Amino acid sequence: MAGGPPAYGAQPAASSNAAAPAARPAAAGAASAPSAATVASAAAAERSSAPTSLAAALDAAWQRAIASREADGQQRRAEAERSTAASLWAAPPALALSHRNDRWQSNAGKRESEIGVAVPLWLPGQRAARGAAAEAAAAQADAARQAARLRLAGEVREAAWGLVALQAEVGQAEAQVRSLAQLAADVERRVRAGDLARADALAAVAEHLAAAAEQTGARQRLQAAQARWRTLTGLAAAPPLEALGADAAPTDVAGALPPAHPELRLAGHASEHARKQLELLRSSRRDAPELTLGLRHDVPGGPEPAHNSVVVSLRLPFGSDERYRPLEAVALSELDIAQTHEQRQRERLEAELASARGALQSAQAQADAGRERARLLRERAALIERSFRAGETPLPELLRALAAAAQADGAAAQQQAALGLAGARLQQALGLLP
């Protein structure tokens, strides 16, 4: 029962107030809701600013999401890793300078100066391993972006279908208010004509007031949902119902979990990245060797002339198992965690897919039953209303029939929205973006 009705306060037997109740429901109904022109203009404005599809709403939400910034950061890190792996050197070169003389010894004028460049070299297989690790990091970053978009798509789908359900609730509440306002006016006319008792008019107005209170609550809930939608997407309105229905149309009701599911791909790429990191560590058991190329200027002192020479040196660090084993243990642990997470993720996604399929079938059955129940109760209410107008049925019986029909209509609308949401959740479980 819902609506925006009168403030009714008639005195129990005052004939001078006999016309007041009939006027008050109509006046209150007008006061409780915006004018038709205002509602129409607001609806037109929302339609003009509404996205044409759920994909457009997702793009708008992605531009505002923190996850998009995180994905950009991961992509930049992966590109930096690629750049490092493509370098000719294992690390930045260094400038080497040295000078020696015998000033504090024999002081014969001997001097030796040397300048050179020390270049760290890749170990055998190290550069290829770093390149493979960089490619794995880039693939993981791309998979993480798609997985983040899928998670955001789930939020957008839930919010959009939540708006659909609340809009249906508001529409049903407004229809109930209009119906009860007409009934209250009719009852008041019959009371004035002496066909019905004063108590019947009071009951009709009370039902109208209850419907008005329910309508106000439904509108408040819709406004809160619209505010959440604007926060999520930055858009004034949700896509039209036709676009939502197209996204929620079931595409697979019996197939297995798609191997291209973004969450599954992310877990697989995380395992691959951990594996490549372990291979890189195993190819880097010691520090990079250094090749130094330089020039040396020698002044022997005395009558001997100075001379120059080219210097080539190679520095080969030794490896250490004590240093390597803790790093290998960490890498092995990360690989084991990533592989376990991939397996658990697959199991979770398969369970969610099975649950989504079952929920869709259940929602379909409930929506079919709800539509049939609403049709039957509307027909029953229409029959009882004709009987009431003929004076064959008391008002309480009609009010109960109208309340049952309104409740059934509201439940049917809610179940239809729930069916759409179940279809959208199946798309989500399949890993499909709008």
Side-chain angles (χ1 to χ4, degrees):
M1 320 275 299
Y8 182 77
Q11 298 297 324
S15 59
S16 61
N17 293 334
R24 286 173 179 165
S32 64
S35 68
T38 302
V39 172
S41 62
E46 282 197 355
R47 283 193 297 271
S48 65
S49 61
T52 56
S53 66
L54 200 62
L58 174 59
D59 290 339
W62 181 252
Q63 296 300 320
R64 297 166 57 85
I66 296 175
S68 69
R69 310 304 188 269
E70 295 174 347
D72 291 342
Q74 284 184 307
Q75 198 67 47
R76 286 192 294 269
R77 287 195 296 271
E79 291 299 327
E81 287 290 335
R82 277 177 169 168
S83 178
T84 300
S87 173
L88 294 176
W89 323 116
L95 179 66
L97 299 171
S98 68
H99 175 76
R100 292 186 296 175
N101 60 49
D102 63 348
R103 179 179 179 182
W104 303 104
Q105 286 80 33
S106 60
N107 198 22
K110 295 180 179 181
R111 297 189 306 277
E112 180 182 292
S113 301
E114 184 177 324
I115 182 172
V117 177
V119 180
L121 303 178
W122 293 105
L123 292 168
Q126 185 184 32
R127 186 180 183 188
R130 183 175 287 277
E135 291 299 325
Q140 183 182 4
D142 181 66
R145 176 184 294 274
Q146 293 302 311
R149 280 182 66 89
L150 179 64
R151 288 190 287 270
L152 184 62
E155 296 182 34
V156 172
R157 282 166 166 152
E158 294 281 341
W161 282 104
L163 281 174
V164 170
L166 287 169
Q167 286 166 352
E169 181 182 353
V170 169
Q172 185 275 328
E174 290 173 347
Q176 180 71 351
V177 167
R178 289 192 298 269
S179 174
L180 288 175
Q182 293 172 359
L183 178 62
D186 183 60
V187 169
E188 184 61 32
R189 285 193 298 271
R190 295 180 64 178
V191 167
R192 289 199 300 270
D195 295 338
L196 294 175
R198 182 67 179 160
D200 289 336
L202 297 176
V205 173
E207 289 297 318
H208 186 213
L209 288 169
E214 182 60 30
Q215 181 191 42
T216 301
R219 286 176 173 170
Q220 288 175 343
R221 290 190 290 274
L222 177 59
Q223 289 172 358
Q226 288 170 335
R228 290 192 295 271
W229 173 263
R230 286 191 295 270
T231 301
L232 178 63
T233 65
L235 301 172
L241 186 58
E242 295 77 13
L244 294 179
D247 171 72
T251 56
D252 183 1
V253 294
L257 182 70
H261 192 294
E263 294 282 6
L264 195 58
R265 285 184 61 243
L266 175 58
H269 283 301
S271 296
E272 183 65 15
H273 184 236
R275 189 178 297 108
K276 295 301 182 183
Q277 286 293 109
L278 178 61
E279 293 175 2
L280 174 60
L281 177 64
R282 286 174 172 170
S283 66
S284 308
R285 286 176 174 266
R286 61 174 183 262
D287 292 339
E290 285 185 355
L291 175 66
T292 301
L293 301 174
L295 294 174
R296 178 181 293 171
H297 178 71
D298 289 319
V299 178
E304 296 183 27
H307 61 273
N308 299 321
S309 61
V310 175
V311 177
V312 178
S313 65
L314 181 65
R315 176 176 174 269
L316 294 173
F318 291 108
S320 171
D321 286 343
E322 289 75 12
R323 177 171 176 259
Y324 167 74
R325 283 173 184 163
L327 300 176
E328 184 183 36
V330 171
L332 285 170
S333 175
E334 290 178 351
L335 176 60
D336 183 50
I337 291 171
Q339 290 174 334
T340 304
H341 175 71
E342 180 181 5
Q343 182 61 32
R344 297 291 88 77
Q345 186 78 313
R346 179 181 295 275
E347 294 170 357
R348 181 184 69 82
L349 293 173
E350 288 174 347
E352 288 182 354
L353 181 57
S355 176
R357 289 192 176 113
L360 178 61
Q361 293 173 354
S362 176
Q364 182 67 65
Q366 290 177 350
D368 293 342
R371 282 194 299 269
E372 181 63 16
R373 176 173 178 268
R375 185 188 67 80
L376 294 175
L377 287 177
R378 282 196 304 270
E379 183 179 351
R380 174 177 178 270
L383 292 173
I384 292 177
E385 185 173 6
R386 284 198 293 271
S387 175
F388 168 75
R389 295 185 185 284
E392 298 173 357
T393 301
L395 178 63
E397 182 67 22
L398 174 59
L399 292 176
R400 285 193 294 270
L402 291 175
Q407 185 274 335
D409 284 337
Q414 293 289 328
Q415 288 160 355
Q416 195 63 34
L419 175 60
L421 178 57
R425 285 174 174 169
L426 177 59
Q427 300 288 80
Q428 187 75 15
L430 288 168
L432 301 178
L433 291 171

